[in-house]
């Protein structure tokens, strides 16, 4: 087999010669692959003033990367994040995540660009394309070329660059991994948080207290407050029930027309929900089971609830089964009744998890 050097009238160099410099092995390998290195020179002299200045600049950028990525981890794990109606320090949670991660990635990018554009040697090569089997000598050349490229990165003669690169990349890697393992930081099953809402009956000194359904202004709801074919958004009548602390508890209380209520009650009976309605009233979660949007557009004539985000539709006279759109699960139904004072209460908590699917949902 003819090598590239033989094709151009040159005798191939013995790459196994121990006295051969590594760059000469690289040059010989390039020639055998029909590549001629026509220009190769360092941009700055090693140890020069310009070299030290560039090393300090790249080092500073990598250290900024590490510090910013570390700050991202601190904010992600320990910064207060739960939303409150009256804003406080938790308002800065998402902006700080974006700022710290953005600075880390920007500094890392600029550090790599300066390293590659200003510290690495300039090279101009010309290659003729060919397709031939690779001999053992060429494999050695490839290995030596990779080692030579490693040397030209300058990490050995500029150890500060290597240390700063590790100091920047390790926190960046941890920042990437943090959201993936974030669920391990706090147990999502603590107090069955994903399976409980604000309508869970309270145990008041051993007596079960059923939670009232209240409006946004915290006024409890009576049956006479709604006309047939109307609906109202209700919340659990507990402290902070009308707040984002219980955002999963938002419910639609609907008064069906008499003939529609008969159909809904029969479908409830078939589904094992005999006592979940009260009279002509039925209650469903307002949170769409597709992506968590508010499924609150009520079509009185068709008895459908529509989600405005992705157009899922639920038939409220048939256990809120999805009849159109991407939602695959019905809206959870809240069992309701009326207490001794004539106000609506939840006879139990929701029996199904609220909102979109998650891994642990049965």
């Amino acid at each position: 087999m003819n090598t590239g050097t033989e094709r151009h009238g040159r005798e191939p160099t013995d790459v196994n010669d121990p006295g051969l410099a590594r760059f000469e092995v690289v040059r010989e390998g390039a020639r055998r692959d029909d590549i001629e290195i026509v220009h190769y020179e360092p941009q700055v002299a090693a140890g020069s003033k310009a070299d030290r200045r560039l090393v300090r600049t790249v080092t500073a950028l990598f250290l900024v990367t590490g510090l910013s990525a570390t700050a991202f981890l601190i904010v992600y794990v320990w910064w207060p994040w739960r939303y409150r109606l009256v804003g406080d320090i938790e308002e800065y949670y998402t902006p700080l995540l974006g700022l710290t991660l953005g600075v880390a990635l920007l500094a890392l990018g600029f550090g790599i660009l300066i390293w590659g554009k200003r510290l690495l040697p300039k090279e101009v090569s010309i290659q003729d394309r060919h397709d031939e089997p690779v001999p053992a000598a060429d494999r050695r050349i490839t290995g030596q070329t990779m080692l030579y490229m490693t040397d030209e990165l300058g990490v050995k003669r500029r150890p500060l660059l290597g240390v700063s690169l590790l100091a920047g990349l390790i926190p960046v890697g941890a920042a990437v991994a943090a959201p993936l393992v974030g669920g391990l930081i706090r147990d999502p099953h603590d107090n069955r948080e994903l399976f409980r809402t604000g309508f869970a009956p309270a145990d008041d000194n051993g007596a079960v207290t059923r939670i009232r359904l209240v409006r946004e202004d915290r006024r409890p709801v009576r049956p006479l407050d709604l006309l047939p074919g109307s609906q109202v958004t209700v919340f659990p009548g507990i402290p902070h029930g009308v707040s984002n602390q219980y955002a999963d508890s938002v419910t639609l209380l609907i008064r069906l027309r008499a003939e529609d209520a008969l159909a809904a009650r029969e479908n409830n009976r078939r589904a094992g929900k005999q006592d979940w309605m009260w009279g002509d009233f039925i209650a469903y979660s307002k949170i769409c089971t597709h992506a968590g949007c508010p499924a609150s557009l009520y079509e009185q004539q068709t008895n459908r609830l529509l989600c405005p985000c992705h157009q899922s539709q639920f038939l409220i006279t048939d256990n809120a089964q999805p009849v159109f759109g991407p939602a695959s699960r019905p809206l959870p139904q809240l069992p309701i009744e009326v207490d001794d004072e004539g106000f609506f209460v939840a006879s139990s908590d929701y029996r199904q998890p609220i909102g979109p699917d998650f891994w642990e949902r049965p």
Side-chain angles (χ1 to χ4, degrees):
M1 182 186 69
N2 292 330
T3 64
T5 55
E6 292 171 338
R7 284 194 297 271
H8 290 84
R10 291 189 296 269
E11 290 294 327
T13 302
D14 182 10
V15 297
N16 293 307
D17 183 358
L20 202 63
R22 179 170 288 165
F23 180 71
E24 292 304 320
V25 176
V26 173
R27 185 187 291 276
E28 174 62 19
R31 286 171 175 168
R32 293 187 182 190
D33 204 23
D34 287 338
I35 301 173
E36 186 65 31
I37 301 176
V38 297
H39 180 77
Y40 192 92
E41 66 173 348
Q43 298 192 70
V44 292
S48 65
K49 184 176 180 181
D51 180 77
R52 292 194 298 271
R53 183 177 64 253
L54 288 171
V55 169
R56 289 195 297 269
T57 301
V58 175
T59 298
L61 288 169
F62 287 158
L63 291 178
V64 169
T65 298
L67 291 174
S68 298
T70 301
F72 172 89
L73 291 172
I74 293 173
V75 172
Y76 182 80
V77 177
W78 288 290
W79 194 273
W81 58 270
R82 288 186 177 276
Y83 177 79
R84 292 184 293 176
L85 290 178
V86 180
D88 201 351
I89 192 172
E90 70 278 353
E91 287 188 346
Y92 301 102
Y93 179 73
T94 300
L96 282 176
L97 288 181
L99 177 64
T100 53
L101 187 59
V103 170
L105 296 179
L106 193 65
L108 178 62
F110 274 110
I112 292 175
L113 283 174
I114 294 174
W115 192 344
K117 293 290 187 179
R118 303 296 300 278
L119 285 174
L120 295 184
K122 289 184 177 180
E123 176 184 330
V124 178
S125 301
I126 301 174
Q127 180 182 19
D128 295 331
R129 297 186 64 84
H130 62 89
D131 185 14
E132 297 175 352
V134 181
D138 285 359
R139 291 196 294 269
R140 170 174 168 75
I141 290 170
T142 300
Q144 292 296 308
T145 301
M146 295 178 67
L147 291 174
Y148 184 77
M149 291 171 62
T150 302
D151 287 345
E152 286 303 293
L153 287 175
V155 176
K156 288 186 178 179
R157 62 177 181 271
R158 303 176 183 122
L160 188 59
L161 284 178
V163 173
S164 62
L165 180 60
L166 288 177
L169 287 182
I170 290 175
V172 168
V176 172
L180 301 177
V181 299
L184 302 178
I185 298 174
R186 181 175 181 271
D187 183 5
H189 298 291
D190 183 30
N191 198 29
R192 290 183 56 82
E193 183 175 2
L194 298 178
F195 296 89
R196 293 171 59 89
T197 74
F199 288 108
D203 187 356
D204 187 10
N205 298 324
V208 175
T209 302
R210 289 180 169 82
I211 306 302
R212 282 182 174 176
L213 279 58
V214 300
R215 300 174 185 266
E216 190 172 4
D217 59 5
R218 296 179 175 79
R219 289 185 296 114
V221 182
R222 298 176 182 269
L224 293 179
D225 294 340
L226 276 74
L227 297 174
S230 63
Q231 53 92 12
V232 64
T233 299
V234 294
F235 307 85
I238 58 176
H240 309 292
V242 188
S243 74
N244 281 301
Q245 182 175 342
Y246 291 96
D248 60 349
S249 305
V250 183
T251 300
L252 281 176
L253 177 63
I254 304 169
R255 183 173 184 179
L256 298 170
R257 292 167 297 188
E259 62 275 15
D260 297 327
L262 290 175
R265 191 174 295 105
E266 177 60 21
N267 287 324
N268 263 14
R269 185 189 64 79
R270 293 175 182 174
K273 305 176 182 178
Q274 289 87 345
D275 300 323
W276 289 31
M277 293 179 59
W278 187 90
D280 297 340
F281 293 83
I282 194 167
Y284 289 110
S285 170
K286 193 175 180 178
I287 301 174
C288 181
T289 54
H290 170 236
C293 297
S296 56
L297 301 180
Y298 175 42
E299 282 190 349
Q300 185 186 94
Q301 299 302 317
T302 62
N303 286 308
R304 293 186 180 189
L305 284 176
L306 281 69
C307 176
C309 293
H310 306 100
Q311 287 70 57
S312 293
Q313 299 182 19
F314 305 88
L315 186 59
I316 60 176
T317 55
D318 188 12
N319 297 285
Q321 293 289 341
V323 293
F324 182 82
S328 59
R329 289 197 303 119
L331 296 174
Q333 183 177 347
L334 180 68
I336 57 173
E337 59 184 31
V338 172
D339 63 14
D340 295 338
E341 297 182 26
F343 297 108
F344 278 109
V345 295
S347 55
S348 75
D349 198 0
Y350 281 99
R351 307 288 179 85
Q352 296 175 317
I354 301 299
D357 284 343
F358 53 93
W359 288 338
E360 298 86 0
R361 190 186 73 82

